Amino acid sequence: MTRGRRPRIVILGGGMAGLTTAWELSAGEWRNRFESIRVYQRGWRLGGKGASSRGRNGRIEEHGLHVLLGYYQDTFRVMADCYAELDRARYRPGCPIQTWEQAVQPAATVGLTELADGGWEPWSMDFPQRSTMPGGRPALASLSLGGMVAQSLRLLAAFHTSSFPESRRGAASPPPIALSASPHPPGREGIRAGDVLRRAGLTFLASIVELAGRGESMAERTDLPVIGRALEAGLGRIREALYAPLTSERVGKATWMLVDMVMTNLVGIVGDRLLLRPDGLAAIDDLDYRQWLRRHGAAAETLDNAIIRGMYDLVFAYRGGDPAQPAFAAGLGLELATRMLLDYDGSLFWKMQAGMGEVIFAPLYEALTRRGVNFEFFHRVDELTVEDSSIGAIRMGRQVELRQPSSRYEPLVDVDGLPAWPSAPDPDQLEDDGEWLAGAESFFGERRDAAEVVLRAGADFDVVVFAASLGIVPAICGQLIAADPRWRAMVEHLGTVATQAFQVWLTRDDKALGWEGGEGVTLSGFAPPFDTWASMSHLLATEQWSKSQGVDGIAYFCGSVADGATDEDVRRRAERFLDEEVGALWPHAVDAEGRFRWELLAADSDLEGSGRFGSQYWRANVDPSDRYVQSLPGTNRYRLSPGDTGFSNLVVAGDWTDCGLNAGCIEAATRSGILAAAAVASRAETIEGAHD
C-alpha cells in the first residue's frame, strides 16, 4: 500500500445493517476519509429481510409484515436524516412521499385474541398517542432498570386510579389519569405520578417513583432490600384489589393480565436483585421469559395471555418454527415488553405508507449514491478466506454482465412518482435476459455466473464489513468457523427460524368483513400457523388497481414455519387458514358453514392460475438470508460484537450481533450498523497510521 492512501471499504450485504454502516461512514467528518465504499449485493434489490417489490397492478409484495415501533430511536433518526438530505420537495416535487413524516404514520390500534369456549375471541385497544416524536433522543440509554421500575409503577398508578376513583377522595379534585407510562400524559400536564400513588394509599411506591425520576441510583441504596420487601407487599395489595373487578368481564380480564404481567416484572426485578447486578437483565437471559414470570408468581392465565403470546409471535420465538416450543430470553423479553409498552414516542406502532423497500431502502440507496457510495448488484458472495488472522480474499460470482459495462445498474422503477423496486430485474440493462435471473436473489437459485470475482486484501479492500444475515454464515464463512472457536460457537448456538407470509386483496374493507375492532389494527396472538394479522388497506392509495377490480381491502398474515417449507406449502396452509380460522376475525367473510367466501378475493385473470387464491401473494422465507434471527435463552453470550470478530480487517453488522438490543428487528440492525461504522473508523486510523 502506498504512503498516505485512504482506506477502501467493502460492505457485503445491502440490508439495513450494511446500509446504515455505509450511511455513517459517508457522513460528516468521515465523508472524505475513505478512498471508496462499495456495497455488494446478490440480485437486484436492497433490503435483506425487509426488501419489497412492486408486482402487477402496482401491488406491494413484502417478505412479511413490517412495522416500526415507537422506541426505534436510531432507525427513525437515520430515516429523518436521509429524507432531509434527499430534499424531495426540491429534487422530486412529484413524489407522493417527500418527508419521513409522510413515509410512516402512527398506528395505535393493537389487537389480540383469547381462546374461549372453543373459539377465538379478538379484541383491540388503542394505546395513547404521545406528543414526543421518535428519533429525538438517544437509543437504548433512555430506559435504565431504575427507569423501568418507575415507568411500570406509573402504569400501575394509572390503572389503579382509573379503576378505583374513590381512592382519590379527599384530594383537591384531581382529574382522571390517562393510560400512559409517561408522568405527564398528553392532555394531563401537571399530574405527578407520585401524587397519584399517594392518593391511592401507596406512599412507598410513590417514593420509589420519585427516587428513580430524580436519577438516584437504586443500586447504591443500602435500603434496597427493605424497598424490595415493601414493593412486593404493595404489589400484592394492588393485585388483590384489582383481581375481582377486572376479571368480571372479558376486556377486564385482559386488563388484569397486563397488570399482572407488569407487577410480576417488578417483583422479578427486585427479587432477582437485578438492580444490583453489573450485568443487569443479562443475568436472567438463560431463562425463558414465561419461565421467569412463573418463577415470580405470575397467574396461570397470565402466562398464556394474548399479550405474552403476541410478544412471542412478533419475534417468531418458537424453536424450529414449532408453536408448541416457545422460547425467548427472559432479560430481553422483560426489556422489550417494557420498551414496547412504556418507552415509545408518538405511537406504539408506526406503519409504512408504501412498501418497506420504498419507504426505507430506496431513499437510502438514492442518498448513498449521491454521496459516492458504489453499489455492485448481481454479486453473490461465495467464500471469505482467512490469511494470518485476517480476511485474505472474498470470492464472489458475478451473476450477469451489464450491457453497458461502464455504467451502473439502475435498480429502481417509477410508480406514480415513487421510486420503487421491481419484482424482477430489468432485462434491458443486462446481457442475459433469461428467466432464470428472477431467481438471482435466492441462495438456492440456478447459477449461471458470468464471471468469478476475487477481491484481495490490500489490493481491493482494507476493511470488509460482513453485513449479510446470520443464516448464510455457515455457507460462506467456513474458514472463519474453522479458525475461530467463537464463530463456531455462534453458528452452533444462535437460533434462526424460517417464516411464512401471505397477502390478500379483498373486495370488502375490514368493517364490511365484520371486524369490530379499531381501524388499521395490527393483531397478534392468533391461531397458528399465521398468528399475526395487519390491516394494510391504507396502501391501496399507492397501488394501481382499477375501479373495475373493486379492491377495497388488504390484509397481511405471517408466522413462523418449520424448515423445509415450500411456497406451495404456504399456499395450501393459507387456503386452509382462510377456510378454518379467519371467520373469527371477519365473521361476514364466511358462509353459513363457516367456510371462507372465496369470491371476496380480488382476482387478476392473468395471475389466477388454479383456484381463486392464485391471484394473491405468498412466500416461504426459507433462504438462509431470509431466516429470522431468534433470541433463545442462553444464547446472547455467543453473539459477536461488530468490532470484535477475531480477524483484524473484519467488522460484522446485523441484528445477530451483540449491539445492545439483541433482537431480530430493524432497530437492532440499524444500531449494529452504527457500531460497525465506528469499528471501521477505528481500524482506518490504524491503516492510515501505517502509512505515516
Side-chain angles (χ1 to χ4, degrees), residues 86 135 179 197 222 269 363 387 484 490 627 638 653 658 692:
L86 280 180
L179 173 57
L197 284 162
T222 58
I269 288 173
E387 295 178 11
D484 191 319
M490 179 181 68
R627 295 177 66 89
Y638 300 108
D658 185 6
D692 295 337

Side-chain angles (χ1 to χ4, degrees), residues 79-80 83 97-106 133 350 353:
M79 283 181 61
Y83 276 90
I97 297 177
Q98 298 191 349
T99 65
W100 81 264
E101 294 92 343
Q102 294 174 339
V104 290
Q105 291 291 305
M133 297 296 281
W350 293 75
Q353 301 303 292

Side-chain angles (χ1 to χ4, degrees), residues 595-656:
R595 298 293 183 180
F596 186 67
R597 295 165 51 201
W598 295 98
E599 68 273 13
L600 292 175
L601 294 183
D604 184 325
S605 59
D606 292 332
L607 292 174
E608 193 167 342
S610 59
R612 188 76 172 184
F613 192 75
S615 60
Q616 309 307 303
Y617 182 75
W618 63 93
R619 60 179 296 140
N621 295 308
V622 296
D623 190 281
S625 294
D626 289 341
R627 295 177 66 89
Y628 185 88
V629 180
Q630 297 177 301
S631 301
L632 301 176
T635 62
N636 269 340
R637 65 176 66 96
Y638 300 108
R639 290 174 178 252
L640 300 176
S641 64
D644 183 16
T645 66
F647 300 93
S648 60
N649 60 349
L650 176 66
V651 171
V652 293
D655 60 4
W656 49 274

Side-chain angles (χ1 to χ4, degrees), residues 270-513:
V270 175
D272 286 346
R273 301 174 66 84
L274 297 183
L275 292 168
L276 298 175
R277 298 287 296 265
D279 50 351
L281 294 177
I284 59 173
D285 265 340
D286 284 353
L287 298 173
D288 173 68
Y289 183 45
R290 272 197 181 102
Q291 179 185 2
W292 182 79
L293 289 172
R294 182 182 295 108
R295 171 184 290 186
H296 291 287
E301 59 266 33
T302 298
L303 295 173
D304 193 42
N305 79 75
I307 296 170
I308 297 292
R309 284 187 288 105
M311 285 179 52
Y312 277 67
D313 291 345
L314 287 173
V315 295
F316 303 101
Y318 302 99
R319 294 183 187 273
D322 182 358
Q325 298 189 63
F328 189 29
L332 185 62
L334 175 56
E335 179 179 6
L336 293 188
T338 306
R339 288 192 180 278
M340 183 172 73
L341 297 174
L342 305 178
D343 195 39
Y344 64 86
D345 285 311
S347 176
L348 179 69
F349 287 145
W350 293 75
K351 282 189 178 179
M352 284 165 272
Q353 301 303 292
M356 191 174 191
E358 300 149 22
V359 164
I360 294 179
F361 300 115
L364 279 171
Y365 167 74
E366 290 190 306
L368 287 169
T369 300
R370 282 189 199 173
R371 289 182 176 187
V373 174
N374 295 299
F375 287 85
E376 302 288 351
F377 292 96
F378 299 104
H379 280 73
R380 185 195 63 252
V381 179
D382 290 330
E383 186 181 31
L384 276 66
T385 65
V386 175
E387 295 178 11
D388 300 326
S389 298
S390 66
I391 303 303
I394 306 165
R395 308 182 71 86
M396 294 185 281
R398 186 160 59 232
Q399 297 170 294
V400 67
E401 300 284 6
L402 300 181
R403 289 190 177 180
Q404 299 294 330
S406 60
S407 63
R408 70 183 185 205
Y409 180 77
E410 298 292 347
L412 300 175
V413 295
D414 184 283
V415 178
D416 294 333
L418 184 67
W421 305 89
S423 58
D426 179 10
D428 292 338
Q429 299 184 57
L430 306 175
E431 280 289 344
D432 187 340
D433 60 357
E435 291 185 3
W436 72 273
L437 279 173
E441 292 181 322
S442 172
F443 177 79
F444 304 111
E446 184 178 355
R447 300 189 179 189
R448 298 184 187 179
D449 295 344
E452 182 183 36
V453 176
V454 180
L455 304 182
R456 302 192 182 280
D460 302 301
F461 66 88
D462 298 294
V463 180
V464 56
V465 180
F466 184 85
S469 296
L470 174 63
I472 203 72
V473 168
I476 63 179
C477 298
Q479 291 193 28
L480 283 71
I481 294 169
D484 191 319
R486 293 191 306 156
W487 280 76
R488 183 164 58 254
M490 179 181 68
V491 299
E492 288 177 354
H493 293 283
L494 287 188
T496 65
V497 66
T499 63
Q500 57 187 340
F502 74 93
Q503 302 169 205
V504 289
W505 289 262
L506 300 138
T507 59
R508 301 288 187 275
D509 61 21
D510 295 341
K511 186 175 181 180
L513 293 172

